[in-house]
Amino acid sequence: MKKQKNEQHKKKMKRLGLICTISIVLISVSTYAWFIGMRTVNVSGFDINIASTESLYLSLNGRDWDYTVNINEENYDDPNVVYANHTNSWGNVGLIPMSSVGKINANSSRLVLYEKGSFTASPGGYRIMASEVKNSDAEEANGYVAFDLFIKNLSGEEYYGYLDDPMKNEEAIYLTPDSSVVVSDSGVDAEKTGIENSVRVAFAQIGRVIATTTDEGVITGISCTNDANVTSICSRDATIWEPNDTAHVENAINWYTTSCLHRNGADITSDSSYAGACGTITDGVYYPTYAISGVIDETDQVDNYDGVEYNGWTASISNAPADGKLYAVDTFTDTEKRLVGTARKAFMYLAPNSITKVRVYIYLEGQDVDNYDFAQLGRQISVNFGFTKERFTGEDVDHTGPALPDDVSTTRNATYEADGAITDISVAEVTYNNGEFTIPNDTITFTFKDNGVDMKATYITATTAEEAHWTFTQVTP
């Protein structure tokens, strides 16, 4: 059996915050698209590890509370891990491009999503028709990942049994700077299709109860309905994280430039309604996503490129989700994640002395300009994110003195005794020399071959920095 040595960090400072790390592998055997064929992206190898400190406890079933939890494709339906009659979903047929502006259906306590009803070429783009995803029944629909996470916040003793907008009595939670969605180096033509640029992660807060609640049925039964115990949060839009908001690969730009023409007429079937070039898409620049906010039929005359930045047509764009078919959804972007100091923005808010039910959704946004026919050709995607209560890092305040937690470091080192040559490291910045990996701090998982054997490295967070470590496991064929 392979000898393994897990690195033990020596730093002493405890973190104040909630750290979430998600690793998701999305694999497709052929092209997928929001367009025309709309083939799917299969889901496998999805693994979630979540950790916290004294004031934040986590649970997947409302019964077992700890600083860490783990959910994956193998245990998301395990009665020893999740609660009875849960509605977690692992996508089933794979990930199908969807669209959402973050609204929550108060009757079903689910995220409102829209899917393609019809999609056909227009003279200068694509006429889109869309229907609401039927996810109000006992189970979620196919095509995306959804699961429940319960967060117990023990800050303070006062419980606020009412919803105060804008979040005056709640605590700010921040997205960690090392949160990322990246494409792995394995598979076909790495780093050229851009599938990772249309991934979305939505966090829908359903409701909360006082933190002293011990009745599992009350906790897991939290819904959009207010009662003597539950404070509904469904009137608040879900927080949607948009990773890689300014990244646009050359192939996506070329597809857009080829298929989009400026629109100047209402009749979406007429050649006379389209003429001239659309707006320019440049890598490194953010462009809004005009997500679907309502049912679209053939009488609505909606082109998927509608929008002032794209084909220039604004008749189908609204200033509020309820008023139109397409809406520039306000996502939390990687650009905002990278803001520092007092410019750093809160990701979401949690009430003190509470247990909050958060339903997490992972899907592909079909209206993202980076979602095009050839975006997925056997690619693998890694999704990693975390939460923290810390607004500042040591670099923000020019910290000197005691060692800070690992997220301030540039790299981590992990001791590993190899059986042979180390090859095919999936993250280009990871190196291996003299029995030790050197790993960028924003990398929490990677794969490699040891003497030809497929291995996976995973960073395990902990309550204190010295307890965090790397694990090395053989990948089962």
Side-chain angles (χ1 to χ4, degrees):
M1 180 178 295
K2 181 178 295 292
K3 296 180 180 178
Q4 301 179 7
K5 295 183 180 180
N6 297 331
E7 174 197 19
Q8 298 296 322
H9 294 279
K10 304 301 182 182
K11 300 166 185 177
K12 302 296 184 181
M13 181 177 291
K14 289 185 177 180
R15 309 185 80 168
L16 176 62
L18 169 65
I19 306 299
C20 278
T21 55
I22 288 192
S23 299
I24 175 172
V25 177
L26 310 177
I27 303 176
S28 175
V29 297
S30 60
T31 63
Y32 95 95
W34 176 257
F35 311 117
I36 316 306
M38 200 178 76
R39 299 176 178 91
T40 61
V41 182
N42 295 331
V43 181
S44 67
F46 191 95
D47 190 66
I48 302 168
N49 301 290
I50 308 171
S52 68
T53 59
E54 292 102 343
S55 65
L56 287 164
Y57 291 83
L58 309 171
S59 179
L60 297 170
N61 54 27
R63 176 182 68 252
D64 304 314
W65 297 92
D66 206 339
Y67 296 140
T68 62
V69 295
N70 175 274
I71 186 170
N72 52 48
E73 189 177 11
E74 285 68 42
N75 71 9
Y76 82 96
D77 195 29
D78 187 339
N80 296 315
V81 176
V82 297
Y83 62 95
N85 301 316
H86 69 87
T87 56
N88 298 342
S89 174
W90 227 249
N92 194 9
V93 298
L95 297 188
I96 301 172
M98 304 283 178
S99 192
S100 179
V101 297
K103 295 299 180 184
I104 301 173
N105 185 325
N107 294 321
S108 62
S109 303
R110 304 253 177 87
L111 184 70
V112 177
L113 293 152
Y114 293 90
E115 62 185 347
K116 182 193 76 170
S118 175
F119 208 90
T120 190
S122 68
Y126 297 90
R127 185 207 68 190
I128 185 170
M129 294 166 56
S131 58
E132 186 172 343
V133 173
K134 300 184 185 303
N135 64 346
S136 297
D137 296 329
E139 298 179 352
E140 290 274 6
N142 295 330
Y144 53 89
V145 170
F147 62 91
D148 289 330
L149 173 67
F150 302 93
I151 306 175
K152 182 184 292 187
N153 183 16
L154 295 183
S155 296
E157 296 183 359
E158 181 69 25
Y159 173 70
Y160 300 99
Y162 56 91
L163 191 64
D164 194 351
D165 277 319
M167 292 75 77
K168 295 179 180 178
N169 53 19
E170 300 176 21
E171 293 184 285
I173 304 297
Y174 301 92
L175 190 67
T176 56
D178 58 358
S179 300
S180 64
V181 174
V182 298
V183 64
S184 74
D185 290 334
S186 59
V188 177
D189 209 10
E191 300 181 4
K192 292 187 178 180
T193 61
I195 180 66
E196 71 278 12
N197 299 334
S198 62
V199 172
R200 298 291 189 271
V201 185
F203 301 85
Q205 292 191 48
I206 302 302
R208 63 177 181 243
V209 296
I210 190 170
T212 54
T213 303
T214 57
D215 189 323
E216 298 169 28
V218 171
I219 296 171
T220 60
I222 291 175
S223 70
C224 293
T225 302
N226 278 302
D227 60 28
N229 299 304
V230 176
T231 300
S232 172
I233 315 179
C234 293
S235 60
R236 184 178 297 170
D237 292 350
T239 299
I240 301 177
W241 174 33
E242 179 181 353
N244 309 317
D245 57 304
T246 62
H248 315 289
V249 299
E250 182 180 357
N251 283 334
I253 296 174
N254 291 343
W255 182 282
Y256 165 79
T257 302
T258 301
S259 60
C260 183
L261 291 177
H262 182 82
R263 183 180 179 187
N264 52 28
D267 186 354
I268 201 169
T269 66
S270 174
D271 289 343
S272 63
S273 295
Y274 296 87
C278 287
T280 301
I281 298 297
T282 304
D283 184 31
V285 178
Y286 169 78
Y287 301 93
T289 297
Y290 291 104
I292 297 173
S293 62
V295 173
I296 300 175
D297 61 32
E298 72 279 4
T299 63
D300 293 310
Q301 301 278 316
V302 176
D303 193 294
N304 78 297
Y305 289 132
D306 286 351
V308 64
E309 295 84 1
Y310 306 116
N311 67 11
W313 187 257
T314 59
S316 54
I317 310 299
S318 65
N319 293 321
D323 297 334
K325 302 303 179 182
L326 300 180
Y327 174 71
V329 61
D330 183 18
T331 57
F332 187 93
T333 66
D334 270 7
T335 299
E336 293 173 308
K337 177 199 71 178
R338 289 188 288 266
L339 295 175
V340 299
T342 55
R344 193 177 187 193
K345 295 184 178 181
F347 182 68
M348 64 179 179
Y349 293 81
L350 294 176
N353 196 29
S354 67
I355 296 172
T356 302
K357 182 179 184 177
V358 179
R359 192 155 182 83
V360 182
Y361 289 80
I362 298 177
Y363 62 99
L364 300 175
E365 175 53 66
Q367 281 293 101
D368 192 306
V369 71
D370 298 293
N371 194 307
Y372 68 106
D373 240 6
F374 303 145
Q376 224 296 352
L377 295 169
R379 305 303 303 119
Q380 294 182 348
I381 300 173
S382 177
V383 181
N384 307 303
F385 65 81
F387 301 138
T388 179
K389 286 186 178 181
E390 296 172 350
R391 187 181 190 185
F392 303 123
T393 67
E395 294 174 346
D396 292 335
V397 296
D398 296 325
H399 173 83
T400 60
L404 289 171
D406 292 322
D407 58 340
V408 177
S409 305
T410 303
T411 61
R412 302 185 180 106
N413 293 321
T415 301
Y416 177 79
E417 185 176 331
D419 285 346
I422 299 295
T423 59
D424 298 329
I425 300 175
S426 63
V427 177
E429 293 78 8
V430 174
T431 59
Y432 182 77
N433 291 293
N434 299 320
E436 191 171 71
F437 283 103
T438 299
I439 308 154
N441 187 61
D442 59 358
T443 298
I444 61 172
T445 185
F446 62 92
T447 59
F448 60 96
K449 290 184 183 295
D450 179 0
N451 199 30
V453 177
D454 291 325
M455 300 292 295
K456 179 180 180 180
T458 304
Y459 186 66
I460 306 299
T461 58
T463 305
T464 59
E466 65 248 31
E467 295 171 348
H469 60 280
W470 284 89
T471 64
F472 299 96
T473 56
Q474 183 173 333
V475 177
T476 302

